[in-house]
Amino acid sequence: MGVAILSGVIASLQSRAFEQSFPKWESHTPGTTTPAIDTGDPSLPSRFIATVTRSESARKLQATLDALGGLGSSVDIVVGDNLRAVSEADVVLLCCKPQQAYSILSQDGMSDALTSKLLISILAGVTISQLTSLVLPTTKVVRAMPNTPCRIREGMTVVSSLPQSDDIELDRDIILKIFSSIGRCRFLDEKHFDACTALSGSGPAFACIFLEAMADGGVMMGLPRAEALELAAQSKGYMLILERHGTDGMEALQGAARMALQAGAHPAQIKDSVTSKS
């Protein structure tokens, strides 16, 4: 998910830079220069640092970022040195597995490195109180819960209410720019996160269950499997069934359907990516 967020932000920045460089009527023309980051807006990043634990992971991440072109190749990939990366950053996204949070945040020097910085955690089930117990009181801790369609920039992210600070409006703009680049973003109190996890976070898995069932029905009526899946995924009628759940639920359904339309994707695989312990 961390790679999906980083890729979405970079793609969004490159689109912004391209639109600034070319008039609207010629926006289809391929750019000839590398998009630059607009440093005049304090809510936009001027540098990206990505951390991994293994050299093999670094090579895979570099290949993914290079494929983005432009700003992708400028990301600084740090192997096995979270402290250095956090020390050099202003905004930190914690995108590890939930069970790794303690070892990362309790590392010697980490709490000092996070002083007065914005820490955004996407760890499911790890509460703000648990996170704040591992950092200094000056660290601004926020929870965010993106769902799997964020990988194709069709996601829904719920963000907890921001802690009071002199920079609260800037922090809000930063968060909106990050998560709006990979779909929709909405702020809600942390007390709603369990419900949002069931509806938005797990929604793509539920959607894929009946999406696959619809495709199976098409196969039973004689349609080829690939075409039956495409017809089911592209059908928007079934989304109206759950419209009463509101925006978050609809976004989860729409994102799941569009993921199923990707080459090589299958509802069962998408469901497993939501339910898998890994």
Side-chain angles (χ1 to χ4, degrees), residues 29 39 72 130 167 177-178 181 185 207 215 221 226 229 240 252 261 276:
T29 308
T39 56
Q130 290 174 315
D167 300 319
K177 282 186 170 64
I178 291 172
S181 70
C185 178
M221 291 185 288
L229 180 57
L240 298 177
L261 290 170
S276 171

Side-chain angles (χ1 to χ4, degrees), residues 189-248:
D189 290 339
E190 189 185 18
K191 66 181 180 181
H192 297 300
F193 264 51
D194 286 345
C196 291
T197 298
L199 180 57
S200 177
S202 303
F206 295 132
C208 285
I209 291 175
F210 59 78
L211 181 60
E212 187 173 15
M214 288 175 67
D216 287 343
V219 172
M220 289 178 63
M221 291 185 288
L223 289 173
R225 169 66 61 177
E227 283 71 13
L229 180 57
E230 181 182 11
L231 290 170
Q234 191 61 28
S235 173
K236 301 300 188 293
Y238 72 92
M239 294 183 186
L240 298 177
I241 299 173
L242 298 183
E243 188 175 12
R244 69 185 67 179
H245 292 308
T247 302
D248 292 2

Side-chain angles (χ1 to χ4, degrees), residues 12-14 16-17 20 35-48 71 177:
S12 179
L13 284 172
Q14 293 188 152
R16 177 190 179 98
Q20 290 174 344
I37 297 177
D38 180 7
T39 56
D41 186 343
S43 65
L44 292 176
S46 59
R47 181 188 177 199
F48 294 100
L71 296 174
K177 282 186 170 64

Side-chain angles (χ1 to χ4, degrees), residues 60 68 107 128 133 137 164 171 182 185 188 201 205 214 239 252:
K60 291 180 179 179
L68 295 175
Q107 179 182 347
I128 290 178
S133 69
Q164 289 298 320
D171 292 341
I182 53 174
C185 178
L188 284 173
M214 288 175 67
M239 294 183 186

Side-chain angles (χ1 to χ4, degrees), residues 42-59:
S43 65
L44 292 176
S46 59
R47 181 188 177 199
F48 294 100
I49 307 172
T51 64
V52 294
T53 57
R54 299 178 300 162
S55 298
E56 180 183 357
S57 298
R59 287 192 293 271

